[in-house]
Amino acid sequence: MRVLITGAAGFIGSFTTHRLLDQGETVIGLDNLNDYYDPTLKDARIARIQDRSDANRFEFIKADITDSGAMAHIFESGKFDRVVHLAAQAGVRYSIENPHAYASANLTGFLNILEGCRHNNIEHLVYASTSSVYGSDTSMPFSEHVGADHPLTFYAATKRANELMAHSYSNLFNLPCTGLRFFTVYGPWGRPDMALFLFTKSILDGKPINVFNHGEHQRDFTYVEDIVSGVVYALNNPATSADHYDPRSPDPAISSAPWRVYNIGNGKSVGLMEFVKVLEVKLDRKADINMLPMQPGDVLATWSDTSDLKTDFDYQATTSIEEGVGKFV
């Protein structure tokens, strides 16, 4: 199987590439290597892939998903079977400062992916969404079968828009599409703007860590390899139309079109201060904590209901916080 992975130099994208190569697939990795964070980290992730003994089944393409001409050519010449779309402008808080970057990458870029899939007989499009789409919803755990139409940031709004855009293409062109709502991903080779990376670096440098909402946050921390397991399960099982879909009482998780959305999380909500304590143990150092008020766009808690993924693919996250943080450290 020839699989296009966009965002292949990214955190989740690079791990997904390794997993698919391990399974014998041919992977074409695409990334624009932008400088949202240090590009040397992205270069290093790609270098790790290219150093593999089976790197002959990997090809890297430097390109921007917002370039419609380039993307049309890549799709036409690539002869891909399936697509994993992970490229995006990431970061919740940065979307407050620079919303245009999100409109370009997450809306125009995603449209180019949909068009590429539509015109080139792609068997299945799997794309990244986010738990942030649940926004102001406080009913826990978050379920795909409950509406997600009150996002609190523009980043979350673009990802919810991706789910709706995918549904329209699925309906119009019979394109199987699966959206994956990731919950607080962490692990080795993670992004430098993520909490675990920021906390660890500050503690090692003897600097205070900023803990928002006075440490009252709770998150469904999910180890990157568990996320990738869900991505691969979904990729191997193209979305189909749901026989039991009722248009008079529509279920937000399914459709009469070949379209699905799934949560991928650990299925547990952990207090942020508990997370910090585990990190202190793994580093054998105490953190100097700077308690701060809640930030705009933040949510108090996240907690995933992953029962659909369990039922459909026998998915279960297996990595504890202690193990995952230890691997990062």
Side-chain angles (χ1 to χ4, degrees):
M1 183 165 62
R2 286 175 61 82
V3 182
L4 172 67
I5 298 182
T6 70
F11 177 31
I12 300 172
S14 61
F15 274 88
T16 303
T17 299
H18 281 289
R19 182 74 66 86
L20 289 177
L21 289 173
D22 288 344
Q23 295 181 3
E25 312 295 357
T26 296
V27 177
I28 296 82
L30 183 148
D31 205 292
N32 68 355
L33 302 175
N34 67 28
D35 62 357
Y36 170 66
Y37 58 85
D38 190 351
T40 58
L41 177 55
K42 301 177 183 183
D43 292 337
R45 293 186 187 124
I46 294 297
R48 288 183 69 229
I49 299 169
Q50 293 172 330
D51 285 343
R52 292 174 56 112
S53 60
D54 55 2
N56 62 309
R57 286 189 283 103
F58 174 74
E59 176 188 354
F60 178 70
I61 300 173
K62 184 179 179 181
D64 196 314
I65 60 170
T66 64
D67 185 335
S68 58
M71 293 307 299
H73 172 73
I74 288 167
F75 268 92
E76 184 177 354
S77 60
K79 309 299 181 187
F80 312 123
D81 298 304
R82 299 182 185 182
V83 175
V84 179
H85 177 55
L86 302 173
Q89 177 58 58
V92 172
R93 297 183 186 105
Y94 185 59
S95 68
I96 299 173
E97 303 168 23
N98 191 4
H100 291 285
Y102 291 76
S104 178
N106 299 1
L107 298 178
T108 301
F110 189 61
L111 177 59
N112 289 336
I113 296 298
L114 289 170
E115 279 288 282
C117 292
R118 167 196 174 187
H119 290 292
N120 293 277
N121 300 314
I122 298 302
E123 299 171 357
H124 191 199
L125 168 63
V126 174
Y127 62 93
S129 186
T130 173
S131 63
S132 296
V133 299
Y134 290 108
S136 60
D137 185 358
T138 58
S139 57
M140 300 284 173
F142 291 142
S143 169
E144 308 96 322
H145 300 278
V146 176
D149 293 321
H150 295 87
L152 297 177
T153 64
F154 188 62
Y155 164 71
T158 64
K159 287 299 192 176
R160 178 65 179 133
N162 286 172
E163 297 177 357
L164 300 176
M165 292 164 71
H167 186 271
S168 69
Y169 269 67
S170 180
N171 174 67
L172 289 170
F173 309 113
N174 200 36
L175 171 65
C177 294
T178 300
L180 303 175
R181 294 172 177 171
F182 298 151
F183 280 70
T184 315
V185 191
Y186 75 98
W189 296 87
R191 294 203 325 261
D193 62 326
M194 289 176 159
L196 181 57
F197 200 115
L198 291 169
F199 289 172
T200 302
K201 189 174 189 305
S202 292
I203 293 172
L204 290 174
D205 289 345
K207 298 177 181 179
I209 63 173
N210 292 327
V211 174
F212 294 96
N213 195 35
H214 303 285
E216 295 300 316
H217 281 314
Q218 289 192 306
R219 291 291 181 266
D220 190 326
F221 294 102
T222 313
Y223 188 65
V224 62
E225 292 280 13
D226 290 330
I227 291 285
V228 170
S229 293
V231 172
V232 174
Y233 288 148
L235 180 66
N236 291 336
N237 294 274
T240 58
S241 60
D243 295 336
H244 57 288
Y245 178 77
D246 182 358
R248 295 164 300 181
S249 180
D251 182 335
I254 60 176
S255 175
S256 56
W259 175 94
R260 285 298 305 264
V261 289
Y262 290 100
N263 292 333
I264 300 186
N266 200 45
K268 301 174 184 176
S269 198
V270 175
L272 181 58
M273 294 311 299
E274 180 181 343
F275 192 71
V276 171
K277 289 177 183 177
V278 171
L279 179 58
E280 289 177 324
V281 169
K282 297 301 179 181
L283 288 171
D284 195 24
R285 299 191 188 190
K286 293 292 291 182
D288 179 8
I289 299 174
N290 184 23
M291 292 291 190
L292 296 172
M294 194 163 174
Q295 296 187 106
D298 251 350
V299 296
L300 288 171
T302 63
W303 177 15
S304 65
D305 178 347
T306 59
S307 56
D308 278 7
L309 212 60
K310 173 68 174 176
T311 298
D312 291 353
F313 308 131
D314 198 27
Y315 169 87
Q316 180 67 54
T318 59
T319 309
S320 67
I321 293 293
E322 291 77 10
E323 182 184 358
V325 171
K327 287 183 176 181
F328 175 83
V329 169

